[in-house]
Amino acid sequence: MAPTTSAVARALERIERLDPALHAFIEVWPKTALAREREAVARRLPLGGMPFAVKGPSGIRSYAARRLVAAGGVPVGATSVPGPGTGWQTWGQGAHGRTVNPWRADRTPGGSSAGAAVAVAAGMAEAATGSDGAGSVRVPAAWCGVFGLKTTNGLLPSPDRTGLAAAGVLARSAAALERYARQVLPGYGAPAAPPLPLPLPAVYSEDLGFAEVDPEVAAVVRAAVDRLVAAGTVRLLERDAALLDPAGAWAAVRGGSPRAPEAVRVRRANDDRLHALLAAAPLLLTPTTPNRPHGHEGPGDVYSTALTWAFNLSGHPAASLPAGFTGDGCPVGLQLVAARGADVSLLGMARAVESALPTVRPWPPPTEHRPPARGPSWRR
């Protein structure tokens, strides 16, 4: 009988085969990864050599990466982030060139955790660390058809001095995040949480009261919500989920003016509305993005973060999970938002939600949208 290929070896093989076309990685560490895996297995560490990717050149120093390595996780490489001067062009720059969406090579994967989402979607890593300051985990998760979590702001260490960015993670599904969560999320798995009572009271908002949403994106998400209701997973409550547009407040905070009067007014109003909303229902549902993945030339005047950055300002945990596809083959995300500090509960609710939705079609996509395999080998 042929020996079983290790998880890290399989991940490295997929990186070598697929990444010259997808451009998800800026660095790959095959020798170090295989040595770490042997050590993790020999020491019987909890993660046993689970391959994961880190976001950008500094990702290996993040809190989550250090926790995963200590528990026997194996970083296989650093993933792409947008290059300097890209502004709102939410794509990444990998070692071989511009990072492409694994479902549509002519579209962006989103960002700034661009390569992290692509690596997970294409099976080049079981999970990938990320950070989310405006939607930087949730947007690429939505556009690459994977699960992405932004934790409660301040729950995990973050180098961002503005307080907008929170640590995050990407995986194929919420269920696949189990091993990560046990090592990184405070309070996860101890004591074991009781089963969630279904249906979950939830509020659905297509636009949060201000966003202009692509009608087909809205239709895909609404169909997913309707399936959740029909399955008895959620029970929709009639509540007003309208917020004030956070764009100006976010820009003020990011620009170093958090006490600007208008920013303070918007944040206080939205905090009050979200507190009342999540006191009545533990779950808020929205589309993750107002648009489908745009081309590599950039989004134009559309803010792909229109539905995500309110929760960077407020600090609430939020996640994106696959809701379906548009007619032209673009993934669409469903955003889940919970009360501050309810990260563990949010993961439980996300597992319940994704189990009631149709199985996401496997990658790779149909041949007409599949990027060609080309480029140099990673092995060195």
Side-chain angles (χ1 to χ4, degrees):
M1 180 180 295
T4 302
T5 305
S6 73
V8 169
R10 290 194 298 271
L12 292 171
E13 184 278 327
R14 288 184 72 84
I15 294 171
E16 181 179 23
R17 176 162 49 89
L18 300 174
D19 200 58
L22 295 173
H23 311 162
F25 284 87
I26 55 174
E27 295 180 17
V28 180
W29 310 310
K31 293 181 180 178
T32 304
L34 290 168
R36 285 184 186 274
E37 182 184 38
R38 288 192 294 270
E39 180 183 4
V41 172
R43 294 175 58 191
R44 298 183 180 181
L45 295 175
L47 294 181
M50 179 190 83
F52 71 95
V54 299
K55 176 183 177 179
S58 62
I60 193 64
R61 299 192 296 273
S62 70
Y63 172 82
R66 288 184 281 112
R67 292 281 297 178
L68 293 173
V69 169
V74 175
V76 294
T79 56
S80 65
V81 294
T86 55
W88 291 103
Q89 292 180 315
T90 47
W91 43 266
Q93 190 70 23
H96 300 305
R98 185 167 55 195
T99 310
V100 303
N101 190 299
W103 294 94
R104 289 286 305 263
D106 61 333
R107 308 290 176 92
T108 174
S112 61
S113 303
V118 175
V120 169
M124 295 186 283
E126 289 189 24
T129 65
S131 59
D132 189 314
S136 297
V137 164
R138 289 162 289 161
V139 171
W143 286 355
C144 293
V146 299
F147 179 80
L149 170 69
K150 178 197 88 70
T151 58
T152 296
N153 291 46
L155 178 71
L156 302 176
S158 169
D160 181 37
R161 295 181 179 179
T162 69
L164 292 171
V169 62
L170 299 104
R172 292 298 293 270
S173 65
L177 216 58
E178 172 80 15
R179 292 201 290 171
Y180 167 96
R182 285 189 177 277
Q183 302 304 323
V184 178
L185 286 187
Y188 188 90
L196 286 171
L198 301 179
L200 300 166
V203 174
Y204 173 67
S205 175
E206 176 182 302
D207 58 9
L208 289 176
F210 59 83
E212 295 185 10
V213 180
D214 178 328
E216 191 174 358
V217 169
V220 170
V221 175
R222 181 71 219 204
V225 172
D226 289 344
R227 286 194 293 268
L228 295 174
V229 173
T233 303
V234 303
R235 175 173 57 88
L236 294 183
L237 304 182
E238 293 295 332
R239 292 287 191 280
D240 182 9
L243 302 179
L244 300 180
D245 188 341
W250 186 94
V253 174
R254 189 66 175 173
S257 301
R259 293 185 176 85
E262 183 62 11
V264 171
R265 183 186 73 84
V266 169
R267 294 185 81 176
R268 284 178 177 171
N270 284 351
D271 282 353
D272 289 345
R273 295 178 189 188
L274 287 168
H275 178 77
L277 183 70
L278 292 169
L283 190 60
L284 170 62
L285 303 172
T286 79
T288 304
T289 64
N291 53 340
R292 67 192 77 194
H294 56 74
H296 293 287
E297 72 282 357
D301 295 330
V302 176
Y303 285 114
S304 305
T305 55
L307 295 167
T308 53
W309 52 7
F311 309 110
N312 296 90
L313 278 169
S314 69
H316 290 78
S320 178
L321 58 79
F325 289 79
T326 57
D328 58 352
C330 293
V332 174
L334 169 65
Q335 180 172 225
L336 287 67
V337 183
R340 293 187 192 92
D343 301 65
V344 173
S345 295
L346 178 59
L347 272 181
M349 291 187 283
R351 287 196 299 270
V353 166
E354 70 184 11
S355 67
L357 294 176
T359 303
V360 177
R361 70 182 75 164
W363 192 86
T367 304
E368 62 266 24
H369 298 318
R370 188 182 307 168
R374 64 182 186 275
S377 170
W378 270 114
R379 295 200 183 278
R380 55 185 183 273

